[in-house]
C-alpha cells in the first residue's frame, strides 16, 4: 500500500512518504493512530500528519503550539489528547509535560539557562505564547545548547 499525498506544515509542499516513513505510516494507520510526525523531504522539517484521515486538512489546534523548551530541540510542544491522561508533548524530541503549568515552568527554566530562548516566547497573564515569527538565529542558537 502506498502512502497518500501529504502536505508539509512548514513549506506547504506535497509529498508521499517513502521507505521507512511509508512503513511507519502504514503501521500507524493500521493501529488507528491520529498523530504522527514525518520528515518532509523538501524542507527536512518534521510535519504532523493524521494517518487515520490522510489528505484531510488537520483540525486547527484547540490549544496553541509552543516552541519546545527541551535542550537543543527546535520542535514544537503541543497538547496531545490521544493519550490517557492527555499531556503536552514534543514530537521531535519525545519530551512530555503532564500539564500546562509544568510546561510553562520548563520554558522559564530554558529561558533562564539559555537567554536566546526568550525571543521564542511572549509572556502572557495565562502563561507563555509562541513569538511570531521566531528569531532568525533561533535554530542556530538552540543547536549550541548541546555544548552547554
Amino acid at each position: 500500500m502506498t502512502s497518500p499525498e501529504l502536505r508539509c506544515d512548514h513549506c506547504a509542499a506535497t509529498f508521499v512518504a517513502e521507505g521507512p516513513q511509508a512503513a511507519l505510516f502504514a503501521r500507524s494507520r493500521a493501529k488507528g493512530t491520529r498523530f504522527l510526525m514525518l520528515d518532509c523531504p523538501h524542507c527536512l522539517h518534521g510535519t504532523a500528519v493524521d494517518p487515520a484521515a490522510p489528505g484531510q486538512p488537520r483540525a486547527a489546534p484547540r490549544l496553541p503550539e509552543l516552541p519546545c523548551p527541551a535542550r537543543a530541540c527546535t520542535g514544537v510542544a503541543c497538547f496531545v489528547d490521544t493519550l490517557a491522561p492527555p499531556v503536552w508533548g514534543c514530537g521531535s524530541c519525545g519530551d512530555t509535560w503532564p500539564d500546562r503549568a509544568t510546561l510553562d515552568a520548563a520554558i522559564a527554566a530554558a529561558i533562564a539557562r539559555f537567554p536566546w530562548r526568550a525571543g521564542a516566547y511572549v509572556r502572557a497573564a495565562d502563561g507563555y505564547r509562541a513569538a511570531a515569527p521566531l528569531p532568525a538565529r533561533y535554530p542556530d542558537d538552540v543547536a549550541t545548547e548541546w555544548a552547554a
Side-chain angles (χ1 to χ4, degrees):
M1 175 176 117
T2 59
S3 159
E5 191 171 78
L6 304 169
R7 181 173 303 279
C8 177
D9 290 336
H10 295 276
C11 71
T14 58
F15 68 97
V16 174
E18 296 178 350
Q21 287 197 132
L24 176 61
F25 184 90
R27 285 191 311 272
S28 299
R29 188 175 196 177
K31 292 178 184 177
T33 301
R34 293 181 14 212
F35 180 82
L36 177 66
M37 294 296 290
L38 296 177
D39 293 329
C40 171
H42 303 285
C43 70
L44 306 180
H45 279 95
T47 191
V49 297
D50 181 352
Q56 301 296 318
R58 288 190 313 129
R62 290 180 293 169
L63 295 170
E65 296 177 341
L66 297 159
C68 179
R71 182 178 175 183
C73 182
T74 57
V76 177
C78 60
F79 190 68
V80 182
D81 63 355
T82 57
L83 297 176
V87 297
W88 285 84
C90 175
S92 294
C93 69
D95 280 9
T96 60
W97 302 269
D99 53 44
R100 182 61 191 264
T102 307
L103 175 59
D104 281 343
I107 291 169
I111 292 170
R113 184 163 184 199
F114 305 113
W116 50 83
R117 290 264 183 174
Y121 304 98
V122 175
R123 181 77 172 145
D126 60 345
Y128 287 95
R129 303 251 185 256
L134 289 176
R137 286 204 38 84
Y138 183 74
D140 296 329
D141 289 339
V142 171
T144 68
E145 294 173 4
W146 283 118

